[in-house]
Amino acid sequence: MKKTPKMFLSLILLSLCSFSLFAENSEIAETESTTDVASTSSIEGGEFDMGQMMEKTNSLGAYFGYTNIGGENVIGFRIQPDFQIGKLGIGLDIPVQFSITNKSFRTEEFKDGVGLLRMIRFLSWGTKKQDDYYIKVGDLTGSFLGYGMLINNYSNSISIDKRKIGVDLDFCFGKMWGIEVLYSDVNVKSLNLLGIRPYIRPLGLTGIPIIKTFDIGVQYVTDRDKTGDMLAGDASSNHNTFIGNGGVNAEALDMGVTLLNMPMIRLQAFGSAARMERNRSSALNQALQDSINGHASAEYIQDVQNYQSDGVGYGLSAGLDLKFKFLGNMLRLDARAERLWYTNNFIPHFFDVSYEMNKDARIMEVVTAKAQKGYYAELGLMVLSKIMVSGGLLMPDNMGPNNPALLRLILDGSKISKSIVLEGEYVKGGLTSFNDVISLDERSLVSVRAAYKLLNMFCVGVDYNWTWANVGGKFKPSSYVSPYVGVKFDLPFMNK
């Protein structure tokens, strides 16, 4: 098992080499087949652009501000360039912080992670599910695998103090077969969350509308994170103790077909079947036994006994994904509706943003998860390329402690005016009732930025974050407000 991380890194390097080789070949093939592409486009009328709802601009920002993290007064700079050059995307976050309290530079953001590499917010090439070759390195917020039955709305960066460098790639070769890989953290000390989905489009070369888009894939997801064994200190700051030697493992079979794909509209149907294996961690078994000895209810004791005797859970899903544009970018609508059926000991979209917040708590949820039906819905709306709002809700028919929900909301109004910056994101997992939405705890992530620009360059603003932070050597939820002044300006010579 110790060789597994090295084998995976070798696979990544081999894939990247293959990507370079195929990229070179595709440039030659592109010049040779311009006529074919043009004729195909004229027949099909073009395809829907799967790019981001809000068009990105190349910009450079530098901010100086103050904040208080767990009672520690901190001042410092953040330099944040953001470039999109063709299919290449580059985003950096370079912090230089000084602790007034400790009279020293604050280096927590570079510890227990990937060191100086944490300055890479993301590097990307292409658009997932549109380009034949897509790869993203760095922050994987919002990532998914296949049609999302196991990994959906995932983030590997729930803490700015412990940013991870992950890899998300989707390579399609010859229009017929491909592979998706998601790896949460290239820290080679342990094999972290890994999802692999080889897939095939058996009729991809036929050119027949609709059926040429049919794809079928097989997923394997595992997490054998060893940070629970490696991190010393208070156990309250360590949420990876239930991973165990066998890891957390799940498999899925999924398939989908694009029913419509035109410049204005794209409609896709999909379905998935998945299995979640029982966790055999000795630490989990001990925790379950301790909870039983603590005068647990008869129902809980029965749930634990059933899990320890079997513990395998199954899930099914079927859904539609719709993307629609009206008059160019005047209006864009992204919507997804999915119906879910699942047995005891299964949670759909198990590997989501709440998984990284507290893996032990997520694993414990599976023990008492009941057979259920539910819905997952996403809705995103962009108007006049000026404002974008989106949200996602995973909700069982009977929401409760044994069947929690997840909510995600995003707002981007930074282009309403050249003088205003307004962005926000709210995520809450483990919802047992809608009253939980208004509270912030270890299941929550919040990020809000509001600023005013002067002379289209100088800005004054404030950031609010509720996130996991290193406070006294322990990672725990913490809120902080960061007023700042700085500059942010577009680079028009790099924009189209």
Side-chain angles (χ1 to χ4, degrees):
M1 299 304 298
K2 294 181 179 179
K3 295 181 180 179
T4 306
K6 294 182 180 179
M7 292 174 62
F8 174 70
L9 293 178
S10 298
L11 173 62
I12 292 294
L13 292 174
L14 179 60
S15 299
L16 292 176
C17 292
S18 300
F19 167 71
S20 300
L21 178 60
F22 274 85
E24 291 177 2
N25 292 337
S26 64
E27 290 179 0
I28 299 174
E30 184 178 356
T31 59
E32 294 177 348
S33 60
T34 304
T35 305
D36 294 337
V37 173
S39 61
T40 301
S41 299
S42 63
I43 294 173
E44 297 181 353
E47 296 182 348
F48 191 91
D49 183 359
M50 294 279 289
Q52 296 184 347
M53 295 184 73
M54 293 287 283
E55 182 180 353
K56 299 184 69 174
T57 56
N58 295 294
S59 62
L60 177 62
Y63 311 98
F64 176 79
Y66 160 85
T67 189
N68 182 289
I69 304 176
E72 182 180 0
N73 296 311
V74 178
I75 59 173
F77 281 97
R78 282 192 181 273
I79 302 173
Q80 296 178 330
D82 198 336
F83 306 135
Q84 188 70 43
I85 308 170
K87 294 184 179 182
L88 176 65
I90 303 173
L92 303 178
D93 181 8
I94 305 171
V96 180
Q97 296 181 317
F98 183 82
S99 172
I100 302 174
T101 304
N102 299 327
K103 305 296 189 296
S104 62
F105 284 98
R106 190 172 189 272
T107 60
E108 279 77 3
E109 291 194 36
F110 299 95
K111 295 179 179 178
D112 296 325
V114 290
L116 293 176
L117 288 178
R118 63 86 54 222
M119 294 188 295
I120 301 175
R121 189 156 48 91
F122 69 87
L123 296 173
S124 65
W125 178 272
T127 300
K128 192 167 186 177
K129 299 305 178 186
Q130 175 172 296
D131 294 313
D132 288 341
Y133 305 105
Y134 162 83
I135 185 169
K136 184 178 183 182
V137 178
D139 183 349
L140 302 185
T141 298
S143 294
F144 60 92
L145 186 72
Y147 294 99
M149 185 58 164
L150 295 175
I151 301 179
N152 197 47
N153 281 324
Y154 173 76
S155 175
N156 65 337
S157 298
I158 62 166
S159 169
I160 61 171
D161 271 354
K162 195 177 180 183
R163 178 167 288 163
K164 298 178 180 180
I165 300 295
V167 178
D168 182 17
L169 64 85
D170 185 354
F171 292 168
C172 181
F173 306 105
K175 304 296 183 182
M176 280 197 64
W177 66 278
I179 185 169
E180 292 182 61
V181 177
L182 186 148
Y183 188 48
S184 65
D185 187 2
V186 297
N187 183 347
V188 295
K189 292 181 180 179
S190 64
L191 178 62
N192 299 296
L193 178 65
L194 167 65
I196 299 177
R197 179 185 181 258
Y199 61 89
I200 186 171
R201 295 173 181 159
L203 301 171
L205 294 178
T206 64
I208 302 175
I210 300 179
I211 65 171
K212 70 176 182 180
T213 67
F214 173 74
D215 76 322
I216 181 169
V218 179
Q219 298 185 31
Y220 176 66
V221 180
T222 185
D223 188 357
R224 308 193 181 192
D225 188 352
K226 299 299 182 184
T227 55
D229 300 327
M230 294 186 295
L231 292 179
D234 185 9
S236 64
S237 65
N238 184 355
H239 302 300
N240 303 326
T241 57
F242 293 166
I243 299 294
N245 292 331
V248 178
N249 304 292
E251 304 87 25
L253 173 70
D254 59 9
M255 61 189 70
V257 63
T258 302
L259 304 175
L260 289 173
N261 194 2
M262 299 182 291
M264 285 183 57
I265 187 170
R266 180 179 185 270
L267 178 63
Q268 188 175 49
F270 60 89
S272 304
R275 181 182 77 161
M276 180 163 291
E277 299 181 13
R278 172 191 161 196
N279 184 292
R280 300 180 182 276
S281 164
S282 57
L284 175 61
N285 288 331
Q286 184 61 52
L288 293 175
Q289 188 59 49
D290 292 344
S291 62
I292 289 177
N293 295 337
H295 308 289
S297 66
E299 181 183 6
Y300 179 80
I301 294 174
Q302 186 63 55
D303 287 340
V304 171
Q305 292 174 345
N306 291 339
Y307 183 78
Q308 291 178 329
S309 63
D310 184 7
V312 178
Y314 299 90
L316 293 172
S317 73
L320 294 172
D321 188 292
L322 172 68
K323 301 185 185 301
F324 173 77
K325 286 183 179 179
F326 178 70
L327 294 180
N329 286 326
M330 178 174 289
L331 174 69
R332 173 166 168 176
L333 175 71
D334 286 12
R336 170 172 164 171
E338 184 178 5
R339 183 60 170 165
L340 302 157
W341 302 264
Y342 44 102
T343 68
N344 292 345
N345 309 130
F346 186 89
I347 298 177
H349 306 186
F350 178 79
F351 303 97
D352 59 18
V353 63
S354 62
Y355 176 74
E356 287 289 343
M357 292 182 192
N358 191 330
K359 294 182 180 181
D360 285 356
R362 193 65 167 160
I363 292 170
M364 190 67 82
E365 287 178 11
V366 176
V367 175
T368 57
K370 296 293 193 299
Q372 184 62 271
K373 299 176 183 177
Y375 289 96
Y376 176 70
E378 285 183 2
L379 181 62
L381 183 66
M382 185 272 294
V383 180
L384 297 174
S385 295
K386 298 295 185 182
I387 184 170
M388 184 273 291
V389 292
S390 68
L393 177 64
L394 173 64
M395 188 173 69
D397 288 353
N398 298 305
M399 181 173 59
N402 294 330
N403 296 285
L406 179 137
L407 176 66
R408 184 186 186 199
L409 301 171
I410 300 174
L411 167 68
D412 187 347
S414 299
K415 294 186 178 181
I416 295 177
S417 168
K418 292 183 178 180
S419 302
I420 296 175
V421 176
L422 181 61
E423 302 169 337
E425 181 175 6
Y426 171 85
V427 179
K428 184 69 176 282
L431 291 170
T432 58
S433 70
F434 283 108
N435 291 331
D436 287 348
V437 174
I438 61 175
S439 63
L440 297 179
D441 52 30
E442 69 278 0
R443 300 166 294 171
S444 310
L445 288 177
V446 178
S447 175
V448 178
R449 166 167 290 183
Y452 182 77
K453 285 186 178 181
L454 304 172
L455 304 176
N456 292 328
M457 178 176 170
F458 300 99
C459 61
V460 56
V462 61
D463 289 355
Y464 173 80
N465 287 274
W466 176 276
T467 184
W468 290 78
N470 190 329
V471 180
K474 303 175 185 177
F475 281 93
K476 60 182 182 180
S478 177
S479 66
Y480 58 89
V481 178
S482 305
Y484 64 87
V485 295
V487 295
K488 182 178 181 180
F489 52 89
D490 292 339
L491 303 173
F493 61 92
M494 298 180 66
N495 297 320
K496 293 181 180 181

